[in-house]
Amino acid sequence: MLIAQRLALGFLVLFVVSLIIAAGVDALPGDLCQEMQGQGATVETLKACREEIGLDKSLPVRYVEWLGGMLKGDFGTSLANGREISELIGTRLQNTFFLAILAALISVPLALVLGVLAALYRNGIYDRAVNVVTLSSISFPEFFIAYILILFFSVNLGWFPSLSNISPEMSIAEKAYKSLLPALTLTLVVVAHMMRMTRASIINLLASPYIEMATLKGMTRRRIIVKHALPNAWAPIVNVVVLNLAYLIVGVVIVEVVFVYPGLGELMVDSVRKRDIPVVQACATIFAATYILLNMTADILSIITNPRMLHPK
Amino acid sequence: MNEIQRLQKKFEAGRISRREFISRATAIGAAAAVPGSLFSGPAAAAPKKGGHFKLGLGQGSTTDSLDPATYLDTYMQTIGNAVYSYVAVVDNNGDIAPDLAESIEPSPDAKVWTAKIRKGVEFHDGKPVTPEDVIATYQYHMGEESKSAAKSLLAAVTDMKVDGDNVVFTLSAGNADFPYIMTDYHLGILPTKDGKPVDPTSGIGSGGYAVETYDPGVKSILKRNPNYYNDDNAHFDSIESLVIKDVAARTTALTTGEIHAMNRCDLKTVHLLKRQKGLQVIQTTGTQHYSMPMITKQAPFDDNNIRMALKHAIDRETIVKTVLRGYGQVGNDHPIGPSQKYFNKDLPQRAYDPDKARYYLKQAGLDSLKIDLSAADAAFAGAVDTAVLFKEHAAKAGIDVNVIREPDDGYWSNVWMNKPFCMCYWGGRPTEDWMFTTAYAAGAEWNDSFWSNDRFNELLLAARAELDESKRRTMYYEMQEIVSNEGGVMVPMFASYVMAASDKIGMPKLAANWDMDGLRAMMRWWMV
């Protein structure tokens, strides 16, 4: 029931997002034909171009046409080069998910372990060191971290390639090898948030009476934290982890540019720059859907870990 | 092409030895005319077949397509030059060289041009290239629904017809430079049927390479066309061309050996790149220039005294030294580059002179002047810096330049030719006539200063139809003088194309008409 309600709401949000995007791209100065022809545009060629791709029709007409196609599962074609959008997006979407999964596989376990350890040895040297390192890495801009990694691992040591130009025919191992530097960059960016939340929510619970009881029973600190505190701390941690997963999918444009990784972000930026509305719409819909689905997952997971939430007061 | 040029070509291509070259050149009494640089440098090494060439370029976009009518930047333009053949091409000395046409002959008034199309050239799909394909391809660009930037180039063509192996072009007025128009990167010959291209986006041409995979905005893989007619070109077995927009990523990829060559080096760090072993940094200075057009229909720019004041209020040397880091040359307020055939050598170089600027302000009846200058790095890398430097220089002449930062997005549609004074760039055109016609002739679509000068327009028409070189020279000299002293565009600098490549890549003398060896790096370079 809850899931169905959430899904219905999600579709409503998607619809609103698509409206905002259509209006937003249309409000930008210039249109696709001007951007495609750049300095070389003339009045005549602009007119021919607009007629050919239907830009002479009004925005509501174009939007309704797009929505109609979308409901039938047809993304339409790119205005700029006439390619099927599903074909344009297909491999790029896989690449984006591949990078996100790789980064998540590294960063989530790492953040949880670091966070639990930080709670265990809180205010000690280890805790401070972990905090300083992760907070510094989140404070640097992504491209800076990326360049530093490239400098050490690719230019000086030569272990990893500086370009992550993966293609569909490569094996998973080869793809993972080529994508490791961007995944590490993303890891360094997201790990602090998840680690700090793990640490904070565990420490929060450590003041509760039942933990005091456990301490009085003579349990080891490690057992108290892992067996008693952590299960009750899951809800906020899961929320932060999922939020970061969403970031790994939708927020990686800069990393894509630095490593020349063929993901969805760059496609969207290029399309916004050229005012290719159907492609922007398709990307935005995918990104919005990712956010909605992941948020829903977070809610469901928190409920599973904490049955009390099933019965709101 | 005369005998000595032919010999020189053969020598540069390594097909005859130095000894043989000298003895044959002496035999035709031409040894003295050979440029001294011919015997030096890597250019003398012979091209070799084979190898997989990986190229990283700073342009390209996911919105690209293989259709030549849509080419916008160096990325697709270099691919077009590898995939398609043209009626003619520009060689590395800036002269016309044959491609699909064995010969191109003008009528005495330069109004009718006859191109004899080579026999036995095939498209990648095996279909022969015919004179009909040439005409249908040109019509594709000229037609009603054409969105091609080549449309205005071909506007003067009134008739095309097949005559045996020949295509006969008739122009509305004489144009001695018509063969250069046929080299335009939009005009690659497409396979056609019933007067229409079969599919302009298919990437089927008759050039040295065939498209293997094409992923717009990511990479393209090209394979050598085994049936290519010209053995002097297309040396690599295969080519991988990557879109690498971030200049740091491009540089790292080159230094770590993931690519063999890149364009648009970061001028701020190129001195470090030069120290790297195993790399060569190459530059060509041709027609690319950065300009500052003023709309001469509007006050205050309708007064030539104001324009002259501004032209004297910019310190060109400093800007070339700082913004271009020395990779360029000062401009003389006209668009003809120092390497071009009819560049006016006698015109004195305009210098930074605040007193003269003040003098011109006085002539205009002013003590001081306040103007807005619109700038964005979309015009060229360093445009905003140039504008700010100009503000400092002009202040000494009593001119207050208010630099307005415009968004990169939509710069060409909203700022250029709309704001009264802005920053701009021109990739340049291979001939004087082409450049002047595009951006300085009265009423031209891209006359970005909205400038009109009767004497200039008269000379432009006369020089275009003139086949006599020395008469043309006199006319072009005068036109450069007029533009420099009365025109509405400041041209502070000519910018070099700065590229870098691995030592493993061999190249002949580089062409300067476009970036990447006149866009023909894929065709002319080889693996040593």
Side-chain angles (χ1 to χ4, degrees):
Chain A
M1 182 55 215
L2 179 92
I3 296 178
Q5 192 191 346
R6 279 307 190 89
L7 274 178
L9 263 176
F11 274 110
L12 186 69
V13 173
L14 278 185
F15 173 68
V16 175
V17 166
S18 74
L19 267 181
I20 294 174
I21 295 280
V25 177
D26 199 64
L28 287 172
D31 66 11
L32 175 98
C33 292
Q34 282 176 332
E35 295 301 326
M36 288 297 290
Q37 298 179 6
Q39 203 188 5
T42 68
V43 178
E44 260 177 72
T45 53
L46 281 179
K47 185 162 168 278
C49 168
R50 285 184 185 134
E51 270 166 22
E52 186 187 315
I53 59 177
L55 272 185
D56 47 347
K57 288 186 240 168
S58 72
L59 178 68
V61 176
R62 279 182 282 136
Y63 179 76
V64 170
E65 281 175 5
W66 173 80
L67 195 65
M70 202 62 190
L71 291 177
K72 281 181 269 167
D74 176 14
F75 279 102
T77 54
S78 155
L79 297 181
N81 54 13
R83 292 188 160 223
E84 288 289 330
I85 291 178
S86 47
E87 182 196 324
L88 268 181
I89 285 181
T91 17
R92 284 175 175 266
L93 188 63
Q94 280 175 27
N95 291 343
T96 293
F97 279 125
F98 181 78
L99 181 59
I101 291 170
L102 190 64
L105 284 180
I106 303 171
S107 61
V108 175
L110 185 69
L112 293 181
V113 170
L114 288 179
V116 170
L117 288 178
L120 191 58
Y121 304 110
R122 67 179 180 281
N123 302 331
I125 298 228
Y126 164 79
D127 184 21
R128 300 231 164 126
V130 167
N131 268 312
V132 166
V133 170
T134 53
L135 281 179
S136 337
S137 73
I138 202 177
S139 308
F140 286 120
E142 281 164 51
F143 66 86
F144 181 75
I145 297 180
Y147 286 150
I148 296 287
L149 289 181
I150 289 179
L151 177 65
F152 284 113
F153 291 107
S154 153
V155 177
N156 288 351
L157 295 171
W159 290 351
F160 297 103
S162 67
L163 294 185
S164 309
N165 54 339
I166 62 168
S167 54
E169 64 272 8
M170 287 178 184
S171 68
I172 293 206
E174 193 180 348
K175 274 191 191 173
Y177 170 69
K178 288 209 165 195
S179 316
L180 203 63
L181 283 188
L184 276 182
T185 311
L186 289 172
T187 301
L188 287 172
V189 173
V190 297
V191 105
H193 195 188
M194 295 191 281
M195 188 282 284
R196 305 262 308 165
M197 187 48 99
T198 311
R199 177 180 178 276
S201 58
I202 290 177
I203 289 175
N204 231 350
L205 288 171
L206 289 185
S208 335
Y210 80 98
I211 298 287
E212 203 176 340
M213 182 64 205
T215 316
L216 292 175
K217 277 199 297 191
M219 268 186 202
T220 59
R221 277 166 66 86
R222 177 181 306 238
R223 198 177 155 81
I224 292 173
I225 287 179
V226 175
K227 290 269 173 180
H228 294 257
L230 193 56
N232 285 311
W234 272 128
I237 297 175
V238 164
N239 263 312
V240 167
V241 167
V242 169
L243 211 63
N244 277 297
L245 289 185
Y247 174 79
L248 289 180
I249 293 173
V250 306
V252 297
V253 177
I254 294 169
V255 174
E256 281 178 15
V257 170
V258 172
F259 290 100
V260 198
Y261 189 88
L264 210 49
E266 228 192 326
L267 176 69
M268 184 155 172
V269 171
D270 273 356
S271 306
V272 171
R273 195 168 283 149
K274 295 275 160 60
R275 317 278 188 262
D276 195 346
I277 298 182
V279 182
V280 180
Q281 287 277 26
C283 294
T285 311
I286 289 171
F287 285 156
T290 310
Y291 248 104
I292 291 167
L293 283 177
L294 282 175
N295 262 319
M296 201 170 82
T297 320
D299 289 350
I300 295 168
L301 283 178
S302 334
I303 290 167
I304 292 172
T305 58
N306 190 350
R308 271 180 305 179
M309 285 179 153
L310 262 184
H311 308 284
K313 280 171 206 155
Chain B
M1 202 188 304
N2 62 29
E3 192 58 31
I4 182 69
Q5 278 174 320
R6 219 179 317 251
L7 269 181
Q8 188 172 330
K9 277 266 159 53
K10 277 192 176 164
F11 173 71
E12 279 171 347
R15 280 184 296 156
I16 56 173
S17 70
R18 182 172 178 273
R19 183 179 295 267
E20 191 183 351
F21 173 79
I22 293 175
S23 69
R24 282 168 67 175
T26 321
I28 53 173
V34 176
S37 63
L38 191 59
F39 296 121
S40 62
K48 218 173 68 184
K49 296 279 169 193
H52 178 68
F53 178 44
K54 286 189 282 185
L55 179 64
L57 299 177
Q59 296 77 25
S61 160
T62 49
T63 50
D64 287 342
S65 112
L66 281 167
D67 180 354
T70 65
Y71 291 175
L72 202 56
D73 57 37
T74 312
Y75 185 80
M76 286 317 297
Q77 289 158 6
T78 48
I79 288 186
N81 264 278
V83 171
Y84 299 102
S85 295
Y86 299 78
V87 177
V89 292
V90 177
D91 70 8
N92 48 10
N93 295 314
D95 295 321
I96 284 289
D99 193 7
L100 279 180
E102 281 172 341
S103 65
I104 306 172
E105 300 298 337
S107 64
D109 60 356
K111 243 177 131 166
V112 179
W113 287 82
T114 307
K116 184 165 191 282
I117 303 300
R118 203 180 290 278
K119 272 204 165 140
V121 181
E122 283 177 3
F123 288 108
H124 300 146
D125 60 1
K127 196 182 148 291
V129 180
T130 62
E132 284 83 4
D133 290 320
V134 173
I135 293 182
T137 301
Y138 278 36
Q139 269 161 353
Y140 168 62
H141 293 277
M142 294 161 69
E144 273 290 304
E145 316 94 272
S146 163
K147 46 183 183 174
S148 164
K151 185 171 181 172
S152 51
L153 289 179
L154 297 172
V157 178
T158 51
D159 184 50
M160 293 182 285
K161 61 172 192 288
V162 177
D163 172 20
D165 294 336
N166 298 333
V167 178
V168 183
F169 298 88
T170 310
L171 312 179
S172 55
N175 184 350
D177 288 334
F178 185 66
Y180 281 96
I181 290 184
M182 302 196 238
T183 69
D184 184 66
Y185 56 80
H186 296 97
L187 297 177
I189 302 306
L190 305 163
T192 60
K193 205 179 158 203
D194 307 325
K196 284 220 166 75
V198 178
D199 175 9
T201 60
S202 67
I204 293 179
S206 55
Y209 294 91
V211 180
E212 173 116 329
T213 56
Y214 176 61
D215 190 355
V218 183
K219 72 171 158 191
S220 318
I221 297 178
L222 309 177
K223 280 253 148 73
R224 183 165 59 215
N225 170 8
N227 299 325
Y228 188 53
Y229 79 93
N230 184 351
D231 215 34
D232 297 341
N233 271 329
H235 304 294
F236 301 108
D237 286 338
S238 52
I239 298 177
E240 192 171 336
S241 181
L242 299 170
V243 176
I244 311 181
K245 286 185 201 163
D246 183 43
V247 67
R250 218 153 59 232
T251 315
T252 322
L254 182 70
T255 49
T256 56
E258 284 177 71
I259 55 174
H260 294 118
M262 65 180 269
N263 70 345
R264 311 282 164 103
C265 295
D266 187 350
L267 298 182
K268 293 187 183 105
T269 56
V270 73
H271 60 286
L272 298 173
L273 201 60
K274 276 185 173 165
R275 276 194 230 148
Q276 191 93 15
K277 279 206 183 75
L279 290 184
Q280 40 182 335
V281 173
I282 339 150
Q283 66 161 323
T284 55
T285 310
T287 52
Q288 175 179 244
H289 56 278
Y290 298 158
S291 66
M292 299 159 76
M294 315 167 228
I295 296 188
T296 54
K297 288 188 306 189
Q298 290 179 17
F301 303 114
D302 52 352
D303 183 346
N304 193 40
N305 286 315
I306 298 286
R307 308 203 288 263
M308 284 301 266
L310 290 170
K311 286 173 181 175
H312 281 101
I314 187 165
D315 186 349
R316 295 151 208 260
E317 298 282 349
T318 307
I319 288 179
V320 168
K321 231 178 275 162
T322 50
V323 175
L324 299 180
R325 313 256 160 180
Y327 287 92
Q329 291 179 24
V330 291
N332 208 5
D333 295 325
H334 63 71
I336 306 307
S339 67
Q340 282 181 269
K341 202 167 172 183
Y342 301 117
F343 171 71
N344 189 339
K345 296 185 198 78
D346 308 334
L347 192 64
Q349 173 61 45
R350 183 156 292 142
Y352 176 46
D353 190 342
D355 293 332
K356 248 197 182 142
R358 270 182 207 280
Y359 163 78
Y360 280 110
L361 275 190
K362 281 241 165 59
Q363 293 290 306
L366 295 170
D367 285 332
S368 64
L369 175 68
K370 194 171 157 39
I371 47 160
D372 290 341
L373 171 60
S374 301
D377 276 355
F380 57 89
V384 176
D385 293 346
T386 308
V388 172
L389 282 170
F390 175 50
K391 177 193 171 75
E392 297 300 322
H393 302 157
K396 290 205 182 107
I399 301 171
D400 180 12
V401 179
N402 177 31
V403 177
I404 301 177
R405 230 191 137 148
E406 302 282 354
D408 278 357
D409 230 23
Y411 187 82
W412 299 111
S413 5
N414 305 313
V415 178
W416 183 62
M417 295 188 74
N418 283 299
K419 296 285 157 77
F421 190 25
C422 71
M423 308 299 290
C424 172
Y425 94 101
W426 282 93
R429 299 294 182 266
T431 65
E432 289 75 7
D433 177 62
W434 192 339
M435 189 66 228
F436 281 141
T437 308
T438 311
Y440 293 83
E445 197 99 38
W446 300 310
N447 182 339
D448 53 12
S449 55
F450 299 87
W451 180 68
S452 165
N453 180 297
D454 294 339
R455 175 70 183 150
F456 175 87
N457 292 319
E458 200 179 293
L459 282 168
L460 183 64
L461 288 183
R464 188 183 297 155
E466 182 58 65
L467 289 167
D468 182 281
E469 282 208 8
S470 75
K471 281 189 194 152
R472 280 194 108 187
R473 172 166 288 111
T474 324
M475 291 192 251
Y476 282 128
Y477 270 38
E478 188 183 342
M479 286 161 78
Q480 287 168 55
E481 204 176 324
I482 298 175
V483 171
S484 179
N485 293 332
E486 294 171 45
V489 181
M490 290 167 67
V491 182
M493 56 186 147
F494 278 76
S496 303
Y497 294 112
V498 183
M499 299 155 266
S502 143
D503 273 352
K504 293 194 192 85
I505 300 300
M507 49 192 81
K509 178 189 162 195
L510 294 191
N513 52 330
W514 294 104
D515 195 4
M516 291 314 288
D517 194 6
L519 301 175
R520 291 185 74 78
M522 292 178 179
M523 295 295 278
R524 290 181 186 149
W525 295 6
W526 65 87
M527 197 78 79
V528 282

